[in-house]
Amino acid sequence: MDLLTLLLENKLEDSLPFPPALKASWLAEGVLQLLPQELPQEKKLDTLIISAGIHGNETAPVEIVLQLLSQLAQGSLPLRHNLLLIFGNLPAMRTGQRYIDNDLNRMFGGRQQNFPPGNETNRAIELESIIRQFFSEPAVMDSNKYRHLDLHTAIRGSCHEQFALLPYQTRGYAADFLQWLEDSDIDALVFHNSAGGTFSHFTSEYFNADSCTLEIGKALPFGQNDLTRFSNIATALQDLVAGSFSIRRNKRVFKRYRVVDAIIKQHDSFQLNIPEDTKNFTELPDGFDIASQQNQSWKILSPANFILFPNAQVAIGLRAGLLLAQLT
Ligand SMILES: [Zn+2]
């Protein structure tokens, strides 16, 4: 059976042997901790978390992480990190949905309390508890650096196909992490301006990890993804896992944006005045009325001319879009 079938049938844990150099522990369904047993002398290991499938219909990241897992299990990819691999929302993966009850990636940092109990609130509680347990492992506590890459694919088309969202941080962003993102040949970075309930914000805020949500393109159903379109990400992840830092950027343009404002839907009268298929990072003219609801409207004001994640269909209280300014 292939690894994806084993994962979806919850049989991966019993079927995947690892080489003796790796200590493998399954901490929950779809959560694998791998600790290298042959430690390099006088050098601390860094710690890395890679998660995929927090949204169940975002399949390409799951296939990429399974590929990494297969290489680690076969011993063809060396592991130079304490590693936690997470397949986020297995029930939603099985049904090909973004989520079963509510969006898991709005619930971290205790925000699951704001939602009625269900599949995702349980998983958010479980994942937070596992992350705490992982960070209390002696080998992990002893690390120099912590990184977390949460892999996603976007729903809509995008003027920048691959981009990273960096959580809001009061501390600075690590230069070597930003360099790795640039070298991975993604097209853009977006810096958040406020705290949020994403998985990457949680690991950044509570564990000082260099974290990001990595949007790697558009995904098709399982088995239909052309993984060559994501080969830069797969290569960059292998490079990170193996601790080699050997990748170099090939693409020219690398844009940076910051979030200036969030459009929050708070009323049934909410309207977004752009077509539903408007691409991420579309530039809008100064003065354009982009959204309105009872007693409130949003106008495009320079320099925040770019729209990200426009979606009028979100539930009341949730974000219907972000307005970005380009950094020069
Ligand atoms: Zn997603």
Side-chain angles (χ1 to χ4, degrees):
M1 247 190 271
D2 64 296
L3 291 187
L4 177 61
T5 308
L6 290 169
L7 173 72
L8 296 177
E9 294 186 1
N10 195 15
K11 291 178 185 158
L12 201 51
E13 186 170 343
D14 302 322
S15 337
L16 199 60
F18 285 92
L22 298 181
K23 187 183 171 207
S25 327
W26 288 89
L27 305 183
E29 192 190 347
V31 184
L32 175 64
Q33 171 182 287
L34 286 172
L35 302 177
Q37 295 303 286
E38 291 157 15
L39 301 174
Q41 284 192 341
E42 292 167 32
K43 192 182 177 296
K44 286 183 186 178
L45 289 179
D46 294 338
T47 290
L48 178 62
I49 301 171
I50 302 176
S51 49
I54 290 289
H55 292 136
N57 59 343
E58 298 177 1
T59 54
V62 173
E63 294 182 44
I64 289 169
V65 176
L66 283 172
Q67 213 174 51
L68 275 181
L69 186 53
S70 156
Q71 291 165 333
L72 289 165
Q74 287 165 15
S76 60
L77 178 67
L79 179 62
R80 302 267 189 274
H81 279 79
N82 306 305
L83 181 65
L84 192 65
L85 295 179
I86 299 173
F87 299 96
N89 195 340
L90 290 152
M93 276 182 223
R94 291 184 187 110
T95 57
Q97 290 168 288
R98 185 173 171 85
Y99 51 77
I100 303 290
D101 298 308
N102 277 292
D103 191 336
L104 177 57
N105 212 27
R106 302 287 178 273
M107 293 185 181
F108 289 93
R111 291 172 182 80
Q112 93 286 342
Q113 293 169 4
N114 306 333
F115 296 85
N119 172 61
E120 284 79 17
T121 57
N122 290 338
R123 187 62 163 170
I125 292 167
E126 181 173 56
L127 289 179
E128 287 193 14
S129 146
I130 285 169
I131 299 284
R132 283 199 185 89
Q133 182 188 333
F134 178 63
F135 274 92
S136 65
E137 277 283 334
V140 174
M141 283 172 80
D142 202 32
S143 294
N144 280 321
K145 276 183 186 149
Y146 307 99
R147 298 190 184 93
H148 175 204
L149 300 161
D150 186 32
L151 308 182
H152 288 252
T153 52
I155 307 169
R156 64 189 61 249
S158 182
C159 301
H160 303 308
E161 182 155 326
Q162 298 182 327
F163 56 98
L165 293 141
L166 292 143
Y168 170 73
Q169 294 179 182
T170 48
R171 63 187 191 282
Y173 295 90
D176 61 346
F177 186 57
L178 298 183
Q179 186 64 51
W180 179 82
L181 287 168
E182 184 169 346
D183 286 336
S184 74
D185 263 345
I186 60 168
D187 304 296
L189 293 184
V190 177
F191 295 87
H192 265 293
N193 69 339
S194 61
T198 61
F199 199 14
S200 60
H201 185 90
F202 172 72
T203 51
S204 164
E205 182 181 344
Y206 290 87
F207 301 98
N208 286 329
D210 299 324
S211 304
C212 74
T213 303
L214 204 49
E215 298 279 357
I216 66 169
K218 253 186 155 174
L220 297 167
F222 278 125
Q224 295 176 29
N225 291 305
D226 172 9
L227 290 187
T228 59
R229 286 178 53 220
F230 309 106
S231 61
N232 62 314
I233 300 293
T235 304
L237 289 174
Q238 289 163 12
D239 178 79
L240 197 56
V241 164
S244 46
F245 278 83
S246 60
I247 51 169
R248 289 292 168 264
R249 186 168 184 83
N250 288 313
K251 283 188 191 166
R252 275 199 177 172
V253 179
F254 186 51
K255 298 221 164 144
R256 293 175 180 228
Y257 299 83
R258 64 184 171 87
V259 176
V260 175
D261 199 6
I263 300 172
I264 309 291
K265 176 175 174 177
Q266 272 152 344
H267 195 263
D268 279 334
S269 64
F270 181 84
Q271 265 198 325
L272 205 50
N273 303 324
I274 50 174
E276 260 185 46
D277 59 352
T278 301
K279 287 181 174 180
N280 284 328
F281 300 96
T282 294
E283 187 170 4
L284 297 165
D286 252 357
F288 176 66
D289 281 311
I290 180 154
S292 61
Q293 60 195 356
Q294 204 185 33
N295 304 327
Q296 191 177 13
S297 68
W298 284 267
K299 214 182 251 305
I300 296 292
L301 290 173
S302 184
N305 293 78
F306 300 86
I307 180 76
L308 183 62
F309 301 137
N311 183 3
Q313 308 310 320
V314 293
I316 304 271
L318 292 186
R319 180 190 79 195
L322 291 171
L323 296 174
L324 311 179
Q326 196 176 323
L327 298 167
T328 47

